[in-house]
Amino acid sequence: MTSVASPLAPDWLAVPADPNDLPASVWPSSVLRDRHGVLSIGGVPATDLVQQFGTPLYVVDEEHVRARARETLDAFTGQFERIGTRAKVYYAGKAFLSTAVARWVSDEGLGVDVCTGGELAVALAAGVDPGRIGMHGNNKSLDEIERAVSAGVGTIVIDSEIEIDRVAAAAARLGRVQGVRLRVNSGVHAHTHDFLATAHEDQKFGFPLDRAEAAVRSIRSHAALEFRGLHCHIGSQIFGADGFAESAARLLSLHARLLETGPVPELNLGGGFGIAYTTADDPTPIAELAARIASIVEAECAALGIALPVVAFEPGRSIIGGAGVTLYSVGTIKDVDVTLQGGSSDATAPRRYVSVDGGMSDNARTALYGADYSVRIASRASDADAALVRIAGKHCESGDIVVNADYLPADVTPGDLLAVPATGAYCWALASNYNIVGRPPVVAVANGEARLLIRGETEHDLLARDTGFAPTAPGAS
Ligand code: PLP
């Protein structure tokens, strides 16, 4: 192959030596190409999955999820036992939640963190022990609070003053003592490699550090509440430990002051551990993060002269993100000439738009956050040179892009199946019906078998909630 780099490619994107390769950092561990070049996941060929379930299709590698859950729990438990305390790990269901996923992570020893009544309903329907569920949300309804307390969820994360009274009232009414955490803004914002620390936060979640002591006094004044500790979440897709270290240090000095007036058994540092979406991403392995964070907690507690708390975490993306692959069918292909920035005004380079049968309705992250993804042909291998492509969706939006830039074999053609890795987190969870498109099914693969977790929405599903829908009208089915 004699592929050359496109001047339109972003700086981080190298021309792959082989555009059929499946770099281990971005693909689930079970992914491989069979002797016909067909990509398989969990032992199931992509072509078989598509024959049975169609495209677009979310595929989740069950063993990958379980392995990441075990690895995370082992890393944190091992490191916090090393320093003389315990760790708890909750799976953040907002990344992707179904009853099967809730069961997988609970089987592996994780709790489940939910942030709406809907997520709570899924976790409870899965049979998750309510005592191992934590509930978040900056605006939980009275009904959500009531349901959480009556279900017996282990902890509710208090996000505002008014919620202290609301949770206390629900607990008193139901004759319970409800465990609560207090969400605070540590002033640390982290994203990928960098973090930024400010004294004051301009955001909707939690309490400023300087209002936390009064809030904890208020919590402790209610007999129906048990204060379990502080909580914070500094951001998402974080690669290093520095932001967590800074945040832990800030929280522990508040934690130490709170210990002067009552028990503070736990500290919850939230989630946010990053994953690789492309080969340019290099997140710190979870074992190293756990070791760094445990050492910081140990050193800070020693400096403050306080006992080590139990430390809790809430990873979502790092458990399930890398386990997901979305399969699409190629519909149309278009080459456009793009004027190059900074060169002579008539210098252009070609960009190939490959349009698939999904888009921003099944993966909003590219349009929403400018997220980068990778792509490969799933239905065959090819000897063609690599060509820069942009994978577009089918929606009426020019920002409807799934993969902003990657190299595919230049002979990519209508009918090919494409696979986009690392779509396990915040894709189905953020999916919409934009342009009246049904959300795709979710299928789990393991040991050569596929199992439907969530069926896809049909046009009938979409029409059924339209009160003007007459089942006999043209188009009704
Ligand atoms: N905990 C809280 C409070 C969050 O808001 C989030 C994500 O927004 C998470 C945990 C999970 O974050 P991630 O999926 O990046 O690990």
Side-chain angles (χ1 to χ4, degrees):
M1 289 175 204
T2 54
S3 311
V4 286
S6 162
L8 296 176
D11 292 343
W12 57 262
L13 180 63
V15 188
D18 176 1
N20 302 292
D21 70 347
L22 302 166
S25 61
V26 291
W27 291 88
S29 33
S30 69
V31 162
L32 44 87
R33 282 192 194 277
D34 67 18
R35 62 199 165 82
H36 306 293
V38 175
L39 185 147
S40 77
I41 315 163
V44 189
T47 41
D48 291 4
L49 288 167
V50 168
Q51 199 175 15
Q52 197 178 347
F53 302 103
T55 52
L57 179 66
Y58 297 109
V59 186
V60 184
D61 181 335
E62 175 178 346
E63 190 40 47
H64 190 106
V65 177
R66 288 180 177 274
R68 291 297 287 155
R70 277 196 299 274
E71 184 188 357
T72 306
L73 187 62
D74 289 352
F76 284 111
T77 357
Q79 288 300 328
F80 281 90
E81 274 170 10
R82 170 181 68 80
I83 64 165
T85 182
R86 279 193 306 122
K88 291 183 177 176
V89 180
Y90 295 81
Y91 167 67
K94 55 185 71 79
F96 171 73
L97 198 61
S98 74
T99 51
V101 168
R103 286 187 194 114
W104 299 344
V105 295
S106 340
D107 284 354
E108 300 301 338
L110 274 57
V112 177
D113 148 37
V114 300
C115 66
T116 62
E119 288 183 2
L120 175 62
V122 175
L124 293 174
V128 176
D129 171 2
R132 305 187 65 191
I133 297 178
M135 176 137 190
H136 278 284
N138 68 303
N139 186 20
K140 305 168 199 76
S141 68
L142 296 180
D143 180 56
E144 286 173 320
I145 291 172
E146 188 92 8
R147 281 161 66 197
V149 175
S150 70
V153 308
T155 49
I156 295 182
V157 181
I158 300 273
D159 200 279
S160 59
E161 268 144 36
I162 200 165
E163 231 176 45
I164 300 173
D165 297 332
R166 288 176 180 173
V167 178
R173 206 167 35 249
L174 292 160
R176 292 182 181 258
V177 175
Q178 177 61 54
V180 295
R181 304 183 196 276
L182 187 81
R183 178 149 180 182
V184 293
N185 305 321
S186 64
V188 175
H189 299 260
H191 180 68
T192 309
H193 298 290
D194 304 321
F195 80 91
L196 169 79
T198 59
H200 297 284
E201 290 254 47
D202 185 5
Q203 59 131 320
K204 70 171 184 171
F205 289 112
F207 287 74
L209 286 176
D210 56 8
R211 301 215 188 137
E213 282 177 86
V216 173
R217 268 198 303 280
S218 167
I219 290 172
R220 285 175 170 158
S221 74
H222 289 280
L225 301 181
E226 184 200 343
F227 179 60
R228 303 218 44 90
L230 299 172
H231 174 283
C232 82
H233 172 76
I234 59 170
S236 234
Q237 185 58 357
I238 302 166
F239 285 179
D242 293 352
F244 293 105
E246 176 64 27
S247 183
R250 288 179 175 209
L251 258 63
L252 280 167
S253 63
L254 172 60
H255 178 106
R257 290 200 298 281
L258 296 172
L259 274 174
E260 290 166 12
T261 48
V264 193
E266 299 187 4
L267 175 71
N268 188 323
L269 294 175
F273 311 119
I275 62 166
Y277 286 94
T278 73
T279 48
D281 291 334
D282 188 19
T284 308
I286 203 77
E288 262 178 60
L289 283 176
R292 254 309 285 295
I293 298 170
S295 297
I296 295 286
V297 168
E298 182 183 32
E300 289 294 327
C301 288
L304 291 160
I306 58 170
L308 287 158
V310 170
V311 183
F313 297 90
E314 297 168 349
R317 182 194 315 266
S318 60
I319 303 287
I320 201 149
V325 172
T326 309
L327 298 175
Y328 300 99
S329 298
V330 175
T332 59
I333 297 186
K334 197 179 283 181
D335 288 328
V336 299
D337 290 322
V338 179
T339 305
L340 293 173
Q341 303 289 321
S344 72
S345 59
D346 52 1
T348 62
R351 188 191 305 280
R352 180 160 298 175
Y353 277 84
V354 176
S355 291
V356 295
D357 50 356
M360 64 194 296
S361 57
D362 60 76
N363 186 349
R365 294 189 65 258
T366 310
L368 209 53
Y369 311 124
D372 286 308
Y373 280 92
S374 318
V375 63
R376 288 292 180 262
I377 296 178
S379 41
R380 65 187 173 95
S382 163
D383 292 332
D385 288 348
L388 184 75
V389 295
R390 176 169 281 176
I391 310 301
K394 62 179 287 174
H395 294 282
C396 283
E397 219 33 81
S398 51
D400 172 28
I401 303 299
V402 180
V403 182
N404 185 44
D406 200 353
Y407 287 93
L408 279 184
D411 62 357
V412 59
T413 190
D416 278 338
L417 296 180
L418 298 188
V420 175
T423 57
Y426 304 109
C427 287
W428 186 87
L430 283 169
S432 76
N433 293 128
Y434 181 44
N435 293 148
I436 322 241
V437 163
R439 281 169 289 192
V442 184
V443 164
V445 287
N447 306 317
E449 294 198 357
R451 179 162 64 104
L452 186 63
L453 298 189
I454 301 177
R455 76 161 170 82
E457 282 170 323
T458 60
E459 264 174 31
H460 186 271
D461 290 330
L462 301 178
L463 275 164
R465 288 180 295 127
D466 183 328
T467 58
F469 171 53
T472 51
S477 53

